[in-house]
Each structure stands twice: as C-alpha cells, then as structure tokens.
Amino acid sequence: MLTERQLLILQVIIDDFIQTAQPVGSRVLSKKESISFSSATIRNVMADLEDLGYLQKTHSSSGRIPSEKGYRFYVDHLVSAEGIPDNIDVMKHVIQDGVFEFEQVVQKSAQVLSDLTNYTSIILGPEVFETKLKQLQIVTLSDHTAVAILITNTGHVEHRAFTLPLEMNASDLEKMVNILNERLYGVPIIHLHEKLNTEFVSLMKMYVNDFERSYEFLKSAFFSEQPVKLYFGGKTNMLMQPEFKDIEKVRSFYSMMEKEDEIANMLKASTEGIKVSIGHENKVDAIKDCSLITATYHLGEDQLGTIALLGPTRMEYRKVITLLHALSNEMTDALYMWYKNNE
C-alpha cells in the first residue's frame, strides 16, 4: 500500500498530466495548494513512485509522467464517479420525444458523448441473436422495382431496394410475405434461415404457384447476413490529441476503425457494467497507446448493448466514467419506455 503522501503526489501528478500532457516536475508540484511538502520531499516521493513503477521519467525532461500501472492504480483506487452531470439529460429529452427510430437514438447518443468528451465514441447495438423479427414488408415503387423492409423488435429497420424479375408474380410475393409475417413474428433473427428451410417450405408450397423462384428471391431480399451494428461519434477526435501526431499511429488507428467486426468482438468481450482497459491491457495492437472505457446498457428485459469511449491513456477517467455511468443508466431507462411503446 502507498502512504498518504505517495497517494497525494501520485493523484496530483496524474491529474496535472491529464490536463496538460506535459511531464510534471517537483517545482510544479510545490506550487500546488494541495501540497505543502518541500521540493526535496516531493522529489524523494516521486523517485519512490518511479521505483514502484507508478511513474516514469521522460528522456527529454526531469519531470515524470504516469505509467500504465500508475493509471491502473489511479482508476482502481483514486477515481470515483462524480454526480451525474446536468448536460447528459439532453439524451433523455431526445429519446422521450418519440420521433426517432432506435438507430437514430443510438447514433445521437454516440454523437453527444463524443461532443462532451472530445474522444471517439462507439456504441454497439444489442446482440443480433437476441433481436427478433417484428414485421416484413415489400413496398412496390414501380412495375419492376420494390423495397424489402425488415423491422425488428428493437426498432432496427433494414431496407434493400431491388429489381423485380419480369416473370415474378406479385400476388405470389404478397402471399409469401403474409405467411412469413404470420408465422415468423417474434422469431430471433439468427433462427430465421432454419425456420424458413424446414417447417415453412411445405406450407408455402401449398399456397404459392411459382414457389422456388419466389422463395429464393425473398431469402436474398430479406434474410442475407445481418451486418454488425456499430454507431460512431467523433472519429476524427483522435487527431486533436498530442499523442497522435505520429502518422503511423493515426494510420493504424483508422485502419482498425474500418474493421467493424474486430471492434464489435472487442466490445462484446466487455463484462456488464463499467470496464476500463488501459494501454497494453487492450488486445488490439492499434489501441495499445489508448484507453478504452466501456459500459453496458439494456434494451428491453434482457438485450444488452455496449457504450464505449476510446481516447489516449491520458484520458479524463473521472469525467468519462461519470458520463458513461450516467448515459448507460439513462439509455436503459429511456429505451425501456421506448421498447414498451413499440412492442
């Protein structure tokens, strides 16, 4: 355990470095109102903290900066969530207006979060295997074009425009959609292919004349693989951080941001609640100089999504943890009301 003196010096150094991105020396510390020790005492404590691995010395300055171990201790022992900030309530008003689809609500949440922190925000929608079918529609635009619309119980709307084959019977198509809506309502999206290929084939053969052609067409229109649902805010915010002046770091970061499956898997691994991964605790090489803080939110009774903020290890942990805690609770409460109204 660290002494009270060591705890105070460590906290002040980390707080100062988070704000300035500049190494902190004993002279700077001696001018802090919260520190009444002599410069010699401060230097000794800093040396001890360096020996213990909580601080490290830069080659260009006599000042110290936090190590990843120092940040970890800071997050685990020195940071507590502050009161919920008033400005996060904006999301509750947006959601309660009832004018947004689920995707718009989540995208707005990501944007607000990045605006409040100047970091990159990522929100992962509920797991696809927990998402259930609510309705299928085909909207005819002309004699040969139409839009296939798939709506889930989470409010996700998937739509694809397509060209109707000349030989396709529109009435057959309508019959099949009606049958699918009647029999597939509430079926998890991931189980739709299984349901289609077994119990519904014989049923639809009874009512649809050109079954094979219509069946294959509907499968490609409605039931192709569902993409990972990620929502980003502030992708360019990393460019404003001093740590990302290195063009190779920037290139690596943005290359990773294009790999949505990799990001989704990274967020899915998060445990429920707040989780902080610092530097090399992250398994993805492109963010080993970053901190990733995640929080979970619920949609309905048992569907889980993830909110994340990605920034430098010199992140404002206290502010970010407070915001994520507030937003996850607010999204859970407000989306629960939205979910009930749209069942």
Side-chain angles (χ1 to χ4, degrees), residues 126-146:
E127 292 282 4
V128 67
F129 64 82
E130 294 174 329
T131 304
K132 299 174 182 178
L133 179 67
K134 185 173 183 179
Q135 188 178 17
L136 301 174
Q137 296 177 6
I138 286 191
V139 178
T140 303
L141 303 178
S142 69
D143 291 341
H144 305 298
T145 60

Side-chain angles (χ1 to χ4, degrees), residues 44-296:
N44 288 335
V45 174
M46 291 172 70
D48 291 340
L49 290 171
E50 186 179 354
D51 290 340
L52 291 169
Y54 295 106
L55 299 178
Q56 55 192 37
K57 193 172 183 179
T58 62
H59 62 276
S60 58
S61 169
S62 59
R64 266 76 164 189
I65 65 173
S67 64
E68 290 183 8
K69 180 180 178 181
Y71 282 126
R72 172 49 60 193
F73 185 92
Y74 178 81
V75 168
D76 291 344
H77 301 288
L78 302 177
V79 170
S80 60
E82 299 169 338
I84 296 176
D86 292 337
N87 52 3
I88 201 68
D89 286 342
V90 67
M91 281 315 307
K92 184 172 293 186
H93 298 312
V94 167
I95 296 170
Q96 288 178 338
D97 283 344
V99 297
F100 291 101
E101 295 176 354
F102 169 77
E103 290 191 66
Q104 292 174 300
V105 170
V106 178
Q107 185 62 66
K108 182 67 174 178
S109 300
Q111 190 57 55
V112 168
L113 195 55
S114 67
D115 290 344
L116 290 173
T117 61
N118 290 321
Y119 302 134
T120 297
S121 64
I122 311 169
I123 300 184
L124 175 66
E127 292 282 4
V128 67
F129 64 82
E130 294 174 329
T131 304
K132 299 174 182 178
L133 179 67
K134 185 173 183 179
Q135 188 178 17
L136 301 174
Q137 296 177 6
I138 286 191
V139 178
T140 303
L141 303 178
S142 69
D143 291 341
H144 305 298
T145 60
V147 175
I149 302 172
L150 182 151
I151 305 172
T152 72
N153 64 321
T154 65
H156 168 63
V157 179
E158 190 81 25
H159 50 83
R160 299 184 181 91
F162 56 88
T163 301
L164 289 168
L166 293 176
E167 64 275 14
M168 180 166 288
N169 188 309
S171 63
D172 281 349
L173 210 55
E174 184 177 354
K175 286 179 185 177
M176 292 187 73
V177 171
N178 290 336
I179 293 172
L180 292 173
N181 275 319
E182 180 183 345
R183 299 302 182 98
L184 295 179
Y185 179 86
V187 172
I189 296 295
I190 200 169
H191 294 152
L192 288 180
H193 271 105
E194 177 186 345
K195 292 283 186 181
L196 283 171
N197 291 327
T198 55
E199 57 194 87
F200 295 110
V201 171
S202 57
L203 177 64
M204 286 188 285
K205 281 182 178 178
M206 296 170 56
Y207 294 98
V208 179
N209 295 323
D210 190 3
F211 164 73
E212 292 293 342
R213 189 190 306 277
S214 298
Y215 178 60
E216 290 303 320
F217 180 77
L218 280 182
K219 280 206 301 183
S220 64
F222 283 118
F223 305 119
S224 59
E225 184 178 353
Q226 298 297 306
V228 171
K229 285 300 172 185
L230 288 175
Y231 309 85
F232 294 92
K235 274 189 177 183
T236 60
N237 283 349
M238 278 298 191
L239 297 177
M240 296 184 288
Q241 304 297 335
E243 293 86 348
F244 278 77
K245 291 181 179 178
D246 184 337
I247 190 63
E248 287 303 321
K249 285 186 180 180
V250 173
R251 184 180 290 113
S252 179
F253 175 79
Y254 282 104
S255 175
M256 181 209 71
M257 294 295 277
E258 297 299 320
K259 301 173 183 176
E260 295 197 353
D261 287 338
E262 185 174 314
I263 295 174
N265 289 332
M266 178 175 65
L267 298 186
K268 287 176 186 176
S270 301
T271 55
E272 188 166 352
I274 300 284
K275 179 183 177 182
V276 181
S277 299
I278 301 170
H280 284 76
E281 293 173 359
N282 293 301
K283 296 180 180 179
V284 179
D285 288 339
I287 59 170
K288 289 194 180 295
D289 290 322
C290 303
S291 284
L292 177 69
I293 303 184
T294 62
T296 51

